[in-house]
Amino acid sequence: FLLSLKLENKTRGKLQKQVCQVVLDHFEKQYTTELGDTWTSVRDVLTYPSCWQYAVLLNKFSQSTELENVLCAKGYHPAFQGPLPYIPASLKCYIKRTPGRFPAQKHQAGNLKEYYLLNAASLLPVLALEVKNGEDVLDLCAAPGGKSVAILQCASPGNFHCNEYDDLRSRWFKQTIESFIPNPLINLITVSKLDGRQIGDLKPELYDKVLVDAPCSNDRSWLFSSDIQQATLRLIRRKELSSLQFQLLRSAIKALRPGGSLVYSTCTLSKAENSDVINLILNSCRNVVPVDITEMAKATAQEFTFLSGMQQHELLVLPEKGRAWGPMYVAKLKKMESI
């Protein structure tokens, strides 16, 4: 028993070693202030990857009933079962309560993957966007591509424009799309490497729906930065992110048609990059209004833990044991019809 305890502590020590103390100290200060007691349980999940969970998003373009049977036999169940305002039958995502990751599939040219492994909370922005067949859609910051793939599981947009400014991430995005989307459909997707802050001026009022899954301080990956110098630099530059996010949102609003809607999302708990950015947009852009997404939150409350006290147009998913999804912030806005 003592030996196994020693081994367990050794393993735990190894895991602890991977956590970047500089980042943890920074988060500790900020999130204790912003989240209060809730931060303690969230921190326990974020700093302990052994309790992380992964959802399995099925690829409708490479369907296999056998896969669904295997997942059910392994204790997985559909993630979205409640009376959601928008849940296309073609969107199938499986999760289970216990930690662990279903085996990943390797990228093979010419072969479509059967599923995509992801954080289940990252599908909430897609569900909030409510894309319908034939709509013109812009995914402003598209890499690594999970949300673009999910949008295509839901509907067939008329024009689907996926943009990724970063060169490396853009290549990653293209590989993701090649792995999940069949050739004739790939040709209908416009992939660009434009500066997202300029798209609104380049393509004004062209889209019915815009997703801004903004560059943010990714709490999960930042906590495990192996390079302390890079981590310190990230934390210094963190203050600049909200300004970039605001500019991307301004651009997205210009790209939206009147009557169109926009979803903003991040994978950070940071208020400065979430509610503060949205409040700034609502206060400075007279032509957008918030859209109530509480019905979606209510319908998914069995699988996700949400921070209480949020406004009706936003939600924040908090990771907790057994429901280790998030962090994921989602907010929805609509562009007013021209008078």
Side-chain angles (χ1 to χ4, degrees), residues 271-291:
K271 187 172 167 287
E273 297 173 52
N274 295 339
S275 300
D276 290 357
V277 173
I278 291 295
N279 289 339
L280 192 58
I281 279 287
L282 288 169
N283 289 332
S284 60
C285 297
R286 293 288 160 88
N287 59 344
V288 288
V289 290
V291 178

Side-chain angles (χ1 to χ4, degrees), residues 216-235:
C216 66
S217 47
N218 183 327
D219 294 356
R220 273 188 196 239
S221 67
W222 281 27
L223 273 167
F224 292 87
S225 310
S226 49
D227 183 335
I228 290 178
Q229 272 180 307
Q230 186 201 36
T232 311
L233 195 62
R234 273 175 172 171
L235 293 171

Side-chain angles (χ1 to χ4, degrees), residues 237-282:
R237 289 189 178 156
R238 194 178 194 205
K239 295 181 186 76
E240 297 161 21
L241 281 168
S242 54
S243 168
L244 169 65
Q245 290 153 349
F246 177 76
Q247 289 167 14
L248 288 170
L249 272 170
R250 284 283 293 266
S251 174
I253 291 162
K254 284 181 187 173
L256 258 188
R257 288 190 179 121
S261 49
L262 171 156
V263 168
Y264 172 75
S265 60
T266 73
C267 49
T268 179
L269 298 160
S270 175
K271 187 172 167 287
E273 297 173 52
N274 295 339
S275 300
D276 290 357
V277 173
I278 291 295
N279 289 339
L280 192 58
I281 279 287
L282 288 169

Side-chain angles (χ1 to χ4, degrees), residues 65-242:
T65 41
E66 195 189 326
L67 176 60
E68 288 193 65
N69 295 337
V70 169
L71 287 166
C72 292
K74 287 184 178 292
Y76 282 82
H77 63 271
F80 303 103
Q81 301 180 86
L84 278 118
Y86 171 88
I87 178 75
S90 53
L91 181 79
K92 291 183 177 177
C93 176
Y94 282 83
I95 59 175
K96 67 173 178 175
R97 285 263 183 249
T98 48
R101 187 200 285 248
F102 200 66
Q105 290 180 310
K106 283 199 168 71
H107 171 74
Q108 291 175 310
N111 271 358
L112 290 184
K113 291 185 181 182
E114 289 184 319
Y115 55 88
Y116 189 101
L117 299 178
L118 79 177
N119 184 323
S122 63
L123 291 176
L124 293 174
V126 174
L127 293 174
L129 198 61
E130 300 189 27
V131 175
K132 302 197 172 52
N133 289 339
E135 287 183 326
D136 296 326
V137 181
L138 168 63
D139 188 350
L140 192 68
C141 316
K147 292 180 183 71
S148 299
V149 166
I151 285 169
L152 290 166
Q153 301 303 315
C154 292
S156 305
N159 166 26
F160 191 24
H161 180 181
C162 299
N163 182 68
E164 180 51 58
Y165 184 51
D166 183 271
D167 201 45
L168 187 69
R169 286 173 66 82
S170 180
R171 288 204 293 275
W172 185 9
F173 172 78
K174 280 180 182 165
Q175 190 181 70
T176 302
I177 290 296
E178 280 166 23
S179 292
F180 288 92
I181 312 302
N183 248 331
L185 197 56
I186 283 188
N187 302 335
L188 300 175
I189 302 169
T190 306
V191 180
S192 64
K193 289 200 290 186
L194 300 165
D195 183 334
R197 293 170 292 189
Q198 292 163 4
I199 280 186
D201 290 324
L202 296 170
K203 299 182 181 294
E205 302 197 344
L206 268 190
Y207 305 97
D208 302 298
K209 303 278 165 75
V210 179
L211 174 64
V212 184
D213 185 41
C216 66
S217 47
N218 183 327
D219 294 356
R220 273 188 196 239
S221 67
W222 281 27
L223 273 167
F224 292 87
S225 310
S226 49
D227 183 335
I228 290 178
Q229 272 180 307
Q230 186 201 36
T232 311
L233 195 62
R234 273 175 172 171
L235 293 171
I236 293 165
R237 289 189 178 156
R238 194 178 194 205
K239 295 181 186 76
E240 297 161 21
L241 281 168
S242 54

Side-chain angles (χ1 to χ4, degrees), residues 15-28 46-47 219-232 234-235:
L15 276 172
Q16 273 323 105
K17 262 181 216 162
Q18 295 171 340
V19 173
C20 181
Q21 200 58 47
V22 178
V23 177
L24 184 58
D25 291 346
H26 183 90
F27 283 3
E28 199 76 53
L46 290 181
T47 55
D219 294 356
R220 273 188 196 239
S221 67
W222 281 27
L223 273 167
F224 292 87
S225 310
S226 49
D227 183 335
I228 290 178
Q229 272 180 307
Q230 186 201 36
T232 311
R234 273 175 172 171
L235 293 171

